mmCIF file of all heavy atoms in Angstrom:
data_model
loop_
_atom_site.group_PDB
_atom_site.id
_atom_site.type_symbol
_atom_site.label_atom_id
_atom_site.label_comp_id
_atom_site.label_asym_id
_atom_site.label_seq_id
_atom_site.Cartn_x
_atom_site.Cartn_y
_atom_site.Cartn_z
ATOM 1 N N GLY A 17 132.353 75.069 65.414
ATOM 2 C CA GLY A 17 132.281 74.601 64.014
ATOM 3 C C GLY A 17 131.507 75.638 63.189
ATOM 4 O O GLY A 17 131.893 75.913 62.022
ATOM 5 N N GLU A 18 130.488 76.224 63.736
ATOM 6 C CA GLU A 18 129.692 77.239 63.006
ATOM 7 C C GLU A 18 130.515 78.483 62.768
ATOM 8 O O GLU A 18 130.426 79.135 61.725
ATOM 9 C CB GLU A 18 128.399 77.541 63.778
ATOM 10 C CG GLU A 18 127.370 76.358 63.692
ATOM 11 C CD GLU A 18 126.335 76.483 64.796
ATOM 12 O OE1 GLU A 18 126.425 77.379 65.701
ATOM 13 O OE2 GLU A 18 125.400 75.662 64.770
ATOM 14 N N GLN A 19 131.337 78.857 63.756
ATOM 15 C CA GLN A 19 132.173 80.019 63.588
ATOM 16 C C GLN A 19 133.214 79.764 62.494
ATOM 17 O O GLN A 19 133.572 80.701 61.739
ATOM 18 C CB GLN A 19 132.892 80.384 64.903
ATOM 19 C CG GLN A 19 131.965 80.971 65.929
ATOM 20 C CD GLN A 19 132.657 81.504 67.177
ATOM 21 O OE1 GLN A 19 133.874 81.633 67.160
ATOM 22 N NE2 GLN A 19 131.891 81.800 68.203
ATOM 23 N N GLN A 20 133.724 78.534 62.390
ATOM 24 C CA GLN A 20 134.690 78.226 61.336
ATOM 25 C C GLN A 20 133.980 78.329 60.002
ATOM 26 O O GLN A 20 134.585 78.833 58.993
ATOM 27 C CB GLN A 20 135.281 76.860 61.527
ATOM 28 C CG GLN A 20 136.401 76.522 60.633
ATOM 29 C CD GLN A 20 137.602 77.458 60.733
ATOM 30 O OE1 GLN A 20 138.275 77.445 61.780
ATOM 31 N NE2 GLN A 20 137.899 78.331 59.748
ATOM 32 N N MET A 21 132.787 77.797 59.890
ATOM 33 C CA MET A 21 132.043 77.926 58.637
ATOM 34 C C MET A 21 131.836 79.420 58.303
ATOM 35 O O MET A 21 131.956 79.843 57.135
ATOM 36 C CB MET A 21 130.604 77.299 58.793
ATOM 37 C CG MET A 21 130.647 75.812 59.040
ATOM 38 S SD MET A 21 128.927 75.226 59.387
ATOM 39 C CE MET A 21 129.313 73.642 60.080
ATOM 40 N N LEU A 22 131.548 80.246 59.271
ATOM 41 C CA LEU A 22 131.347 81.662 59.060
ATOM 42 C C LEU A 22 132.635 82.340 58.602
ATOM 43 O O LEU A 22 132.625 83.189 57.699
ATOM 44 C CB LEU A 22 130.798 82.332 60.320
ATOM 45 C CG LEU A 22 130.497 83.811 60.278
ATOM 46 C CD1 LEU A 22 129.463 84.124 59.108
ATOM 47 C CD2 LEU A 22 129.882 84.308 61.565
ATOM 48 N N ALA A 23 133.746 81.955 59.212
ATOM 49 C CA ALA A 23 135.004 82.560 58.839
ATOM 50 C C ALA A 23 135.368 82.242 57.364
ATOM 51 O O ALA A 23 135.822 83.139 56.619
ATOM 52 C CB ALA A 23 136.143 82.089 59.750
ATOM 53 N N ILE A 24 135.112 81.004 56.943
ATOM 54 C CA ILE A 24 135.370 80.624 55.557
ATOM 55 C C ILE A 24 134.358 81.343 54.653
ATOM 56 O O ILE A 24 134.739 81.825 53.597
ATOM 57 C CB ILE A 24 135.323 79.094 55.402
ATOM 58 C CG1 ILE A 24 136.453 78.458 56.205
ATOM 59 C CG2 ILE A 24 135.348 78.692 53.917
ATOM 60 C CD1 ILE A 24 136.381 76.915 56.210
ATOM 61 N N GLY A 25 133.123 81.346 55.062
ATOM 62 C CA GLY A 25 132.070 82.071 54.274
ATOM 63 C C GLY A 25 132.371 83.478 54.067
ATOM 64 O O GLY A 25 132.205 84.070 52.988
ATOM 65 N N ARG A 26 132.859 84.149 55.153
ATOM 66 C CA ARG A 26 133.214 85.548 55.007
ATOM 67 C C ARG A 26 134.320 85.784 54.016
ATOM 68 O O ARG A 26 134.323 86.763 53.259
ATOM 69 C CB ARG A 26 133.591 86.088 56.410
ATOM 70 C CG ARG A 26 133.965 87.596 56.513
ATOM 71 C CD ARG A 26 134.300 87.972 57.871
ATOM 72 N NE ARG A 26 135.506 87.209 58.349
ATOM 73 C CZ ARG A 26 135.902 87.165 59.618
ATOM 74 N NH1 ARG A 26 135.241 87.829 60.552
ATOM 75 N NH2 ARG A 26 136.956 86.428 59.941
ATOM 76 N N ALA A 27 135.302 84.895 54.004
ATOM 77 C CA ALA A 27 136.406 84.964 53.065
ATOM 78 C C ALA A 27 135.888 84.776 51.640
ATOM 79 O O ALA A 27 136.320 85.479 50.703
ATOM 80 C CB ALA A 27 137.464 83.907 53.364
ATOM 81 N N ILE A 28 134.986 83.878 51.415
ATOM 82 C CA ILE A 28 134.389 83.610 50.099
ATOM 83 C C ILE A 28 133.730 84.909 49.575
ATOM 84 O O ILE A 28 133.775 85.189 48.364
ATOM 85 C CB ILE A 28 133.443 82.445 50.130
ATOM 86 C CG1 ILE A 28 134.139 81.132 50.385
ATOM 87 C CG2 ILE A 28 132.582 82.357 48.831
ATOM 88 C CD1 ILE A 28 133.239 79.963 50.652
ATOM 89 N N MET A 29 133.104 85.641 50.472
ATOM 90 C CA MET A 29 132.419 86.881 50.074
ATOM 91 C C MET A 29 133.287 87.874 49.446
ATOM 92 O O MET A 29 132.840 88.779 48.709
ATOM 93 C CB MET A 29 131.680 87.476 51.257
ATOM 94 C CG MET A 29 130.528 86.622 51.808
ATOM 95 S SD MET A 29 129.198 86.441 50.614
ATOM 96 C CE MET A 29 128.641 88.167 50.451
ATOM 97 N N SER A 30 134.623 87.761 49.706
ATOM 98 C CA SER A 30 135.557 88.765 49.083
ATOM 99 C C SER A 30 136.030 88.294 47.704
ATOM 100 O O SER A 30 136.829 88.982 47.070
ATOM 101 C CB SER A 30 136.753 88.886 49.984
ATOM 102 O OG SER A 30 137.558 87.754 50.020
ATOM 103 N N ARG A 31 135.566 87.141 47.273
ATOM 104 C CA ARG A 31 135.974 86.584 45.963
ATOM 105 C C ARG A 31 137.445 86.414 45.868
ATOM 106 O O ARG A 31 138.151 87.034 45.050
ATOM 107 C CB ARG A 31 135.407 87.350 44.787
ATOM 108 C CG ARG A 31 133.953 87.211 44.609
ATOM 109 C CD ARG A 31 133.452 87.673 43.226
ATOM 110 N NE ARG A 31 132.049 87.355 43.089
ATOM 111 C CZ ARG A 31 131.343 87.789 42.021
ATOM 112 N NH1 ARG A 31 131.940 88.479 41.071
ATOM 113 N NH2 ARG A 31 130.044 87.461 41.911
ATOM 114 N N PRO A 32 138.062 85.661 46.737
ATOM 115 C CA PRO A 32 139.545 85.505 46.743
ATOM 116 C C PRO A 32 140.075 84.748 45.551
ATOM 117 O O PRO A 32 139.394 83.925 44.959
ATOM 118 C CB PRO A 32 139.814 84.635 48.039
ATOM 119 C CG PRO A 32 138.522 83.833 48.173
ATOM 120 C CD PRO A 32 137.419 84.747 47.746
ATOM 121 N N LYS A 33 141.320 85.123 45.143
ATOM 122 C CA LYS A 33 142.030 84.355 44.160
ATOM 123 C C LYS A 33 142.956 83.347 44.833
ATOM 124 O O LYS A 33 143.205 82.272 44.327
ATOM 125 C CB LYS A 33 142.817 85.305 43.274
ATOM 126 C CG LYS A 33 141.959 86.280 42.451
ATOM 127 C CD LYS A 33 142.856 87.176 41.608
ATOM 128 C CE LYS A 33 142.036 88.123 40.695
ATOM 129 N NZ LYS A 33 141.353 89.144 41.602
ATOM 130 N N LEU A 34 143.524 83.805 46.002
ATOM 131 C CA LEU A 34 144.369 82.918 46.755
ATOM 132 C C LEU A 34 143.808 82.919 48.230
ATOM 133 O O LEU A 34 143.748 83.964 48.864
ATOM 134 C CB LEU A 34 145.799 83.407 46.788
ATOM 135 C CG LEU A 34 146.771 82.688 47.765
ATOM 136 C CD1 LEU A 34 146.870 81.154 47.438
ATOM 137 C CD2 LEU A 34 148.143 83.289 47.692
ATOM 138 N N LEU A 35 143.412 81.767 48.706
ATOM 139 C CA LEU A 35 142.799 81.648 50.040
ATOM 140 C C LEU A 35 143.826 80.931 50.967
ATOM 141 O O LEU A 35 144.292 79.838 50.733
ATOM 142 C CB LEU A 35 141.537 80.801 49.965
ATOM 143 C CG LEU A 35 140.709 80.703 51.242
ATOM 144 C CD1 LEU A 35 140.167 82.080 51.628
ATOM 145 C CD2 LEU A 35 139.470 79.791 50.988
ATOM 146 N N LEU A 36 144.157 81.637 52.011
ATOM 147 C CA LEU A 36 145.097 81.146 53.041
ATOM 148 C C LEU A 36 144.259 80.675 54.176
ATOM 149 O O LEU A 36 143.520 81.456 54.822
ATOM 150 C CB LEU A 36 146.045 82.225 53.497
ATOM 151 C CG LEU A 36 146.880 83.003 52.425
ATOM 152 C CD1 LEU A 36 147.673 84.099 53.061
ATOM 153 C CD2 LEU A 36 147.740 82.026 51.598
ATOM 154 N N LEU A 37 144.355 79.402 54.613
ATOM 155 C CA LEU A 37 143.561 78.829 55.653
ATOM 156 C C LEU A 37 144.460 78.399 56.764
ATOM 157 O O LEU A 37 145.302 77.471 56.592
ATOM 158 C CB LEU A 37 142.694 77.635 55.076
ATOM 159 C CG LEU A 37 141.739 78.006 53.993
ATOM 160 C CD1 LEU A 37 142.002 77.109 52.769
ATOM 161 C CD2 LEU A 37 140.302 77.870 54.510
ATOM 162 N N ASP A 38 144.266 78.968 57.904
ATOM 163 C CA ASP A 38 145.131 78.654 59.068
ATOM 164 C C ASP A 38 144.399 77.775 60.094
ATOM 165 O O ASP A 38 143.561 78.253 60.818
ATOM 166 C CB ASP A 38 145.577 79.956 59.710
ATOM 167 C CG ASP A 38 146.755 79.789 60.681
ATOM 168 O OD1 ASP A 38 147.206 78.646 60.860
ATOM 169 O OD2 ASP A 38 147.203 80.846 61.188
ATOM 170 N N GLU A 39 144.742 76.520 60.108
ATOM 171 C CA GLU A 39 144.249 75.490 61.039
ATOM 172 C C GLU A 39 142.737 75.472 61.116
ATOM 173 O O GLU A 39 142.105 75.636 62.149
ATOM 174 C CB GLU A 39 144.774 75.785 62.507
ATOM 175 C CG GLU A 39 146.301 75.837 62.603
ATOM 176 C CD GLU A 39 146.934 74.491 62.571
ATOM 177 O OE1 GLU A 39 146.258 73.460 62.359
ATOM 178 O OE2 GLU A 39 148.139 74.438 62.828
ATOM 179 N N PRO A 40 142.055 75.249 59.958
ATOM 180 C CA PRO A 40 140.612 75.250 59.956
ATOM 181 C C PRO A 40 139.937 74.116 60.743
ATOM 182 O O PRO A 40 138.787 74.234 61.105
ATOM 183 C CB PRO A 40 140.252 75.179 58.450
ATOM 184 C CG PRO A 40 141.448 74.502 57.870
ATOM 185 C CD PRO A 40 142.627 75.036 58.586
ATOM 186 N N SER A 41 140.687 73.075 61.024
ATOM 187 C CA SER A 41 140.062 71.945 61.718
ATOM 188 C C SER A 41 140.245 71.987 63.244
ATOM 189 O O SER A 41 139.741 71.132 63.974
ATOM 190 C CB SER A 41 140.629 70.581 61.242
ATOM 191 O OG SER A 41 141.922 70.335 61.703
ATOM 192 N N MET A 42 141.012 72.982 63.733
ATOM 193 C CA MET A 42 141.399 73.077 65.127
ATOM 194 C C MET A 42 140.206 73.030 66.066
ATOM 195 O O MET A 42 139.290 73.913 65.979
ATOM 196 C CB MET A 42 142.243 74.266 65.409
ATOM 197 C CG MET A 42 142.706 74.357 66.833
ATOM 198 S SD MET A 42 143.734 75.849 67.134
ATOM 199 C CE MET A 42 145.243 75.407 66.264
ATOM 200 N N GLY A 43 140.155 72.081 66.976
ATOM 201 C CA GLY A 43 139.153 72.038 68.028
ATOM 202 C C GLY A 43 137.765 71.631 67.553
ATOM 203 O O GLY A 43 136.785 71.765 68.367
ATOM 204 N N LEU A 44 137.598 71.074 66.342
ATOM 205 C CA LEU A 44 136.297 70.723 65.786
ATOM 206 C C LEU A 44 136.015 69.223 65.897
ATOM 207 O O LEU A 44 136.979 68.394 65.818
ATOM 208 C CB LEU A 44 136.191 71.225 64.378
ATOM 209 C CG LEU A 44 136.456 72.706 64.120
ATOM 210 C CD1 LEU A 44 136.157 73.032 62.639
ATOM 211 C CD2 LEU A 44 135.540 73.586 65.025
ATOM 212 N N ALA A 45 134.761 68.904 65.936
ATOM 213 C CA ALA A 45 134.378 67.471 65.974
ATOM 214 C C ALA A 45 134.674 66.869 64.561
ATOM 215 O O ALA A 45 134.621 67.563 63.541
ATOM 216 C CB ALA A 45 132.883 67.358 66.232
ATOM 217 N N PRO A 46 134.984 65.557 64.519
ATOM 218 C CA PRO A 46 135.376 64.936 63.232
ATOM 219 C C PRO A 46 134.345 65.148 62.125
ATOM 220 O O PRO A 46 134.726 65.327 60.961
ATOM 221 C CB PRO A 46 135.455 63.502 63.653
ATOM 222 C CG PRO A 46 135.890 63.489 65.085
ATOM 223 C CD PRO A 46 135.121 64.628 65.675
ATOM 224 N N ILE A 47 133.028 65.110 62.389
ATOM 225 C CA ILE A 47 132.038 65.274 61.370
ATOM 226 C C ILE A 47 132.077 66.700 60.745
ATOM 227 O O ILE A 47 131.863 66.908 59.594
ATOM 228 C CB ILE A 47 130.610 64.944 61.845
ATOM 229 C CG1 ILE A 47 129.621 64.830 60.722
ATOM 230 C CG2 ILE A 47 130.183 65.898 62.927
ATOM 231 C CD1 ILE A 47 128.326 64.216 61.100
ATOM 232 N N VAL A 48 132.384 67.705 61.642
ATOM 233 C CA VAL A 48 132.503 69.044 61.173
ATOM 234 C C VAL A 48 133.786 69.216 60.358
ATOM 235 O O VAL A 48 133.814 69.908 59.299
ATOM 236 C CB VAL A 48 132.419 70.039 62.323
ATOM 237 C CG1 VAL A 48 132.590 71.475 61.815
ATOM 238 C CG2 VAL A 48 131.207 69.875 63.138
ATOM 239 N N VAL A 49 134.873 68.595 60.836
ATOM 240 C CA VAL A 49 136.156 68.631 60.040
ATOM 241 C C VAL A 49 135.955 68.114 58.660
ATOM 242 O O VAL A 49 136.447 68.695 57.680
ATOM 243 C CB VAL A 49 137.207 67.854 60.833
ATOM 244 C CG1 VAL A 49 138.494 67.723 59.977
ATOM 245 C CG2 VAL A 49 137.590 68.481 62.158
ATOM 246 N N GLN A 50 135.214 66.993 58.562
ATOM 247 C CA GLN A 50 134.980 66.431 57.240
ATOM 248 C C GLN A 50 134.240 67.384 56.341
ATOM 249 O O GLN A 50 134.607 67.536 55.137
ATOM 250 C CB GLN A 50 134.178 65.083 57.373
ATOM 251 C CG GLN A 50 133.944 64.410 56.056
ATOM 252 C CD GLN A 50 133.169 63.114 56.229
ATOM 253 O OE1 GLN A 50 132.984 62.635 57.333
ATOM 254 N NE2 GLN A 50 132.668 62.578 55.148
ATOM 255 N N LEU A 51 133.227 68.078 56.879
ATOM 256 C CA LEU A 51 132.496 69.064 56.097
ATOM 257 C C LEU A 51 133.404 70.199 55.653
ATOM 258 O O LEU A 51 133.354 70.650 54.523
ATOM 259 C CB LEU A 51 131.333 69.602 56.927
ATOM 260 C CG LEU A 51 130.578 70.819 56.379
ATOM 261 C CD1 LEU A 51 129.910 70.477 55.009
ATOM 262 C CD2 LEU A 51 129.552 71.331 57.340
#
């Protein structure tokens, strides 16, 4: 879950205009998926 947060955070650092997200909930606990 923390690695998924980091992957999204790293993408945000590039200031995207279009963000492509590939299976961000895969293998994560429900509470992390909600976040």
Side-chain angles (χ1 to χ4, degrees):
E18 290 162 351
Q19 288 189 13
Q20 187 63 67
M21 296 174 198
L22 182 55
I24 294 173
R26 182 180 59 194
I28 291 171
M29 292 296 296
S30 68
R31 289 197 175 173
K33 297 180 179 68
L34 173 60
L35 189 60
L36 309 175
L37 298 126
D38 194 357
E39 303 284 8
S41 76
M42 181 180 289
L44 304 185
I47 191 169
V48 180
V49 171
Q50 182 178 348
L51 170 63

